Amino acid sequence: ARAEAADLATTINVQGMHCVSCARKIAGHLQAVPEAGPVAVDVATGKVTVPPRSQAAPSPRSLWEAVERAGYK
């Protein structure tokens, strides 16, 4: 996974995400990160965007770890 910060949202490129089931699994793990807001997943591009829940944005490391716990890179 690679993260790029755009404003306060973070976009992650996820390898191996090919279907809606994959997207739901990844989104669930990311939404469990305390500072993460509603996750937007684009299966076609393999990108996931995670805005902050409040003023404090989640750290890219915590998001990468959540993606890895879901079984993706």
Side-chain angles (χ1 to χ4, degrees), residues 4 8-9 20 26 28 36 55 68:
E4 303 163 350
L8 292 179
V20 174
I26 292 165
Q55 294 284 3
E68 289 174 350

Side-chain angles (χ1 to χ4, degrees), residues 46-57:
K47 292 187 179 192
V48 179
T49 302
V50 185
R53 182 171 289 155
S54 62
Q55 294 284 3

Side-chain angles (χ1 to χ4, degrees), residues 2-73:
R2 190 180 91 229
E4 303 163 350
D7 295 336
L8 292 179
T10 302
T11 298
I12 303 171
N13 296 314
V14 179
Q15 297 174 6
M17 179 177 61
H18 302 292
C19 66
V20 174
S21 179
C22 298
R24 285 187 188 135
K25 183 176 182 180
I26 292 165
H29 278 79
L30 287 168
Q31 288 180 297
V33 175
E35 301 87 5
V39 177
V41 181
D42 187 334
V43 176
T45 64
K47 292 187 179 192
V48 179
T49 302
V50 185
R53 182 171 289 155
S54 62
Q55 294 284 3
S59 73
R61 182 178 181 90
S62 66
L63 298 176
W64 292 333
E65 289 171 352
V67 169
E68 289 174 350
R69 278 193 302 278
Y72 298 86
K73 296 184 179 209

